[in-house]
Amino acid sequence: MAHPAVITSRFLEGAERQRAWGTGLLVVAGLLWIYAAFELFTPYHADRGHCTAPFARDQDTVHAQYDQDSSAVFGSDDHEKAVACAADRDWPKPVAALIIALPLTAVGSSLMTAGTVGARVQRLIRDMEQSTS
Protein backbone atom coordinates (compact mmCIF):
# COMPACT_ATOMS: atom_id res chain seq x y z
CA MET A 1 0.00 0.00 0.00
CA ALA A 2 1.38 3.37 -1.05
CA HIS A 3 2.00 6.22 1.32
CA PRO A 4 -0.63 9.03 1.21
CA ALA A 5 2.03 11.55 0.11
CA VAL A 6 2.87 9.36 -2.90
CA ILE A 7 -0.81 9.03 -3.80
CA THR A 8 -1.27 12.80 -3.51
CA SER A 9 1.82 13.42 -5.62
CA ARG A 10 0.59 11.05 -8.35
CA PHE A 11 -2.83 12.68 -8.32
CA LEU A 12 -1.34 16.16 -8.66
CA GLU A 13 0.91 14.99 -11.50
CA GLY A 14 -2.12 13.57 -13.30
CA ALA A 15 -4.05 16.80 -12.77
CA GLU A 16 -1.14 18.84 -14.15
CA ARG A 17 -0.92 16.50 -17.14
CA GLN A 18 -4.65 16.96 -17.77
CA ARG A 19 -4.27 20.71 -17.56
CA ALA A 20 -1.30 20.65 -19.97
CA TRP A 21 -3.24 18.55 -22.51
CA GLY A 22 -6.22 20.88 -22.18
CA THR A 23 -4.03 23.93 -22.70
CA GLY A 24 -2.41 22.35 -25.77
CA LEU A 25 -5.77 21.49 -27.32
CA LEU A 26 -7.05 25.01 -26.63
CA VAL A 27 -3.98 26.51 -28.31
CA VAL A 28 -4.52 24.35 -31.42
CA ALA A 29 -8.24 25.22 -31.45
CA GLY A 30 -7.39 28.90 -31.05
CA LEU A 31 -5.07 28.78 -34.03
CA LEU A 32 -7.81 27.15 -36.11
CA TRP A 33 -10.30 29.83 -35.01
CA ILE A 34 -7.79 32.55 -35.94
CA TYR A 35 -7.26 30.99 -39.37
CA ALA A 36 -11.01 30.86 -40.03
CA ALA A 37 -11.43 34.47 -38.85
CA PHE A 38 -8.54 35.55 -41.08
CA GLU A 39 -10.24 33.95 -44.08
CA LEU A 40 -13.52 35.67 -43.24
CA PHE A 41 -12.30 39.17 -42.38
CA THR A 42 -9.41 39.83 -44.78
CA PRO A 43 -9.59 40.89 -48.43
CA TYR A 44 -7.95 38.67 -51.03
CA HIS A 45 -6.91 38.57 -54.68
CA ALA A 46 -8.95 36.51 -57.15
CA ASP A 47 -8.85 35.91 -60.90
CA ARG A 48 -10.91 39.05 -61.62
CA GLY A 49 -8.96 41.35 -59.30
CA HIS A 50 -9.07 42.47 -55.69
CA CYS A 51 -11.97 41.10 -53.63
CA THR A 52 -13.30 42.54 -50.40
CA ALA A 53 -13.46 40.42 -47.27
CA PRO A 54 -16.46 38.08 -47.24
CA PHE A 55 -17.70 39.60 -43.98
CA ALA A 56 -17.71 43.12 -45.43
CA ARG A 57 -18.95 42.22 -48.91
CA ASP A 58 -22.13 43.90 -50.12
CA GLN A 59 -24.56 41.01 -50.52
CA ASP A 60 -26.66 42.97 -53.06
CA THR A 61 -23.86 42.63 -55.60
CA VAL A 62 -23.63 38.85 -55.17
CA HIS A 63 -27.32 38.19 -55.56
CA ALA A 64 -29.31 39.21 -58.62
CA GLN A 65 -30.23 42.87 -58.66
CA TYR A 66 -33.68 43.86 -59.83
CA ASP A 67 -34.75 46.99 -61.66
CA GLN A 68 -38.21 48.54 -61.57
CA ASP A 69 -39.60 46.01 -64.05
CA SER A 70 -38.57 43.13 -61.70
CA SER A 71 -36.24 41.70 -64.31
CA ALA A 72 -32.86 40.56 -63.07
CA VAL A 73 -29.74 42.48 -64.05
CA PHE A 74 -27.15 39.71 -64.25
CA GLY A 75 -24.67 41.24 -66.67
CA SER A 76 -23.34 44.12 -64.56
CA ASP A 77 -19.63 44.24 -63.78
CA ASP A 78 -20.25 44.50 -60.02
CA HIS A 79 -22.42 41.41 -60.07
CA GLU A 80 -19.98 39.39 -62.19
CA LYS A 81 -17.01 40.40 -60.03
CA ALA A 82 -18.89 39.59 -56.81
CA VAL A 83 -19.88 36.16 -58.12
CA ALA A 84 -16.29 35.49 -59.25
CA CYS A 85 -14.93 36.59 -55.86
CA ALA A 86 -17.41 34.38 -54.01
CA ALA A 87 -16.53 31.43 -56.24
CA ASP A 88 -12.76 31.96 -55.95
CA ARG A 89 -12.74 31.89 -52.15
CA ASP A 90 -11.68 28.46 -50.95
CA TRP A 91 -14.42 27.84 -48.37
CA PRO A 92 -13.80 24.18 -47.48
CA LYS A 93 -10.57 25.01 -45.63
CA PRO A 94 -11.94 27.58 -43.14
CA VAL A 95 -15.13 25.56 -42.66
CA ALA A 96 -13.06 22.43 -41.97
CA ALA A 97 -10.94 24.44 -39.53
CA LEU A 98 -14.07 25.46 -37.62
CA ILE A 99 -15.45 21.92 -37.65
CA ILE A 100 -12.17 20.60 -36.21
CA ALA A 101 -11.82 23.49 -33.74
CA LEU A 102 -15.21 22.99 -32.11
CA PRO A 103 -14.57 19.55 -30.52
CA LEU A 104 -10.98 20.53 -29.72
CA THR A 105 -12.31 23.53 -27.83
CA ALA A 106 -14.82 21.42 -25.91
CA VAL A 107 -12.35 18.67 -25.00
CA GLY A 108 -9.55 21.13 -24.20
CA SER A 109 -11.83 23.16 -21.94
CA SER A 110 -13.00 20.03 -20.16
CA LEU A 111 -9.49 18.69 -19.60
CA MET A 112 -8.16 22.03 -18.42
CA THR A 113 -11.10 22.52 -16.05
CA ALA A 114 -10.87 18.98 -14.64
CA GLY A 115 -7.12 19.28 -14.10
CA THR A 116 -7.38 22.68 -12.46
CA VAL A 117 -10.26 21.75 -10.17
CA GLY A 118 -8.68 18.42 -9.21
CA ALA A 119 -5.39 20.05 -8.28
CA ARG A 120 -7.09 22.82 -6.31
CA VAL A 121 -9.28 20.38 -4.37
CA GLN A 122 -6.29 18.17 -3.57
CA ARG A 123 -4.32 21.18 -2.35
CA LEU A 124 -7.29 22.29 -0.24
CA ILE A 125 -7.52 18.85 1.36
CA ARG A 126 -3.77 18.88 2.06
CA ASP A 127 -3.95 22.39 3.58
CA MET A 128 -6.92 21.41 5.76
CA GLU A 129 -5.13 18.31 7.02
CA GLN A 130 -2.03 20.35 7.82
CA SER A 131 -4.04 22.97 9.69
CA THR A 132 -5.79 20.36 11.88
CA SER A 133 -2.61 18.51 12.83
Side-chain angles (χ1 to χ4, degrees):
M1 185 164 206
H3 190 272
V6 173
I7 294 171
T8 302
S9 176
R10 285 184 193 157
F11 182 84
L12 288 174
E13 287 172 6
E16 290 298 321
R17 195 170 31 256
Q18 267 187 324
R19 190 178 344 177
W21 271 100
T23 302
L25 289 175
L26 286 174
V27 166
V28 171
L31 292 173
L32 290 170
W33 281 99
I34 289 170
Y35 169 73
F38 177 80
E39 290 289 320
L40 186 62
F41 292 108
T42 58
Y44 59 100
H45 189 74
D47 293 339
R48 292 199 57 176
H50 182 75
C51 297
T52 59
F55 184 77
R57 186 175 299 136
D58 184 15
Q59 293 300 317
D60 292 337
T61 58
V62 176
H63 303 293
Q65 297 177 0
Y66 295 94
D67 61 10
Q68 292 178 357
D69 297 330
S70 296
S71 60
V73 180
F74 285 105
S76 70
D77 282 342
D78 287 342
H79 173 72
E80 294 298 324
K81 182 179 177 190
V83 169
C85 283
D88 283 348
R89 184 55 128 186
D90 189 16
W91 285 111
K93 289 179 184 176
V95 170
L98 289 176
I99 290 171
I100 294 168
L102 189 61
L104 288 179
T105 302
V107 172
S109 298
S110 299
L111 285 174
M112 190 169 181
T113 301
T116 302
V117 170
R120 289 186 71 178
V121 168
Q122 187 61 40
R123 288 185 184 110
L124 173 67
I125 292 170
R126 183 183 61 206
D127 290 346
M128 288 176 65
E129 287 174 349
Q130 288 176 355
S131 69
T132 58
S133 47

